[in-house]
Amino acid sequence: MTPDILLLCLASQLCLVTGQLLLKHAMTQTNLAPIPWWRVVRLFSLGIAILSGWFFLWGGLLQRKDLSYIYPCGGMGPALMLFGAWLFLKEKLTLQSCIGIGLISAGIALVSAS
Amino acid sequence: MALGGRQPRLHPYLQIIVAAFCVTAAELLFKRGAMATANDPAPLGIIGLSVLGSVWTWFGIVPYIASFLFWLNALRRVPLHVAFSIMSITQVLVPLGAWWFGSEHISPCRWVGVLIVLAGIFVVAGPAMKAEEQL
């Protein structure tokens, strides 16, 4: 994999993770009373905008390379999500969840590459 | 700030599973739509807009929207890393659906990958679901 393709893969997965983190943060706000609607709308809109970035980056990658070549990069998603959820949402991580997500990432890479 | 919001009617973990099934249905319908329009002239080159000419593609958009709504609702209650891990079940359901409905061949290596993904989902989601039941 060339450095520019690797960089694009990483950027697309970072957009996916950031977008989902923002959506999660927005939806968690709806559990509060009263619901801070303005904050929810801002976070939600930003999340959707960044997820759109992921969509176009991913589409651009698929235009350049075969699906089977690019798709194993999707295995990075759960691992980056675990790290992002721990860092930004302060979600509690256990050794078991780290092992599980390692298995999922490996499985996705294998499903995609085969 | 106080916690508010209504309890969801459907269990949040079940909502993620429903969302995964909706994505699977959407992917299979999109595939059918793509195959139905494979020989149609493409108006904008490689973008693939011609798939919108198939009714199957439009049927596929409905479960995609439903999936997004279930996903958002589940995110209110479930930790993101757990929800995202459970959603990985689409990596199992889509190949199974393609094999079952589309008669697509799945190599032994891919079956192994599917089993590894399933094992990972059980390792992540099992303890989280048990912990929630005890609350």
Side-chain angles (χ1 to χ4, degrees), chain B residues 83-94:
Chain B
F84 200 74
S85 302
I86 298 172
M87 199 62 180
S88 302
I89 204 164
T90 51
Q91 303 285 343
V92 175
L93 294 175
V94 172

Side-chain angles (χ1 to χ4, degrees), chain A residues 20-21 23-24 27 30-33 44 48 63 71 77-78 81-82 91-93 96-97 100-101 103-104 107-108 110-111 114, chain B residues 2-4 46 68 71-72 75-81 84-85 88 91 107 109-110 112-114 116-117 120-121 123-124 127:
Chain A
Q20 291 290 357
L21 286 171
L23 287 189
K24 166 67 181 171
M27 294 316 289
T30 63
N31 288 324
L32 301 172
F44 189 81
I48 294 291
Q63 282 176 344
Y71 215 74
M81 194 69 76
L82 182 79
E91 287 186 2
K92 198 178 154 191
L93 302 184
Q96 206 163 358
S97 53
I101 285 173
L103 282 172
I104 292 170
I108 291 173
L110 199 60
V111 165
S114 53
Chain B
L3 283 176
I46 57 171
F68 188 62
W71 173 250
L72 286 181
L75 279 187
R76 296 176 69 194
R77 310 271 170 188
V78 182
L80 182 62
H81 76 277
F84 200 74
S85 302
S88 302
Q91 303 285 343
S107 66
C109 194
R110 186 162 285 188
V112 173
V114 161
I116 292 174
V117 170
I121 291 168
V123 169
V124 177

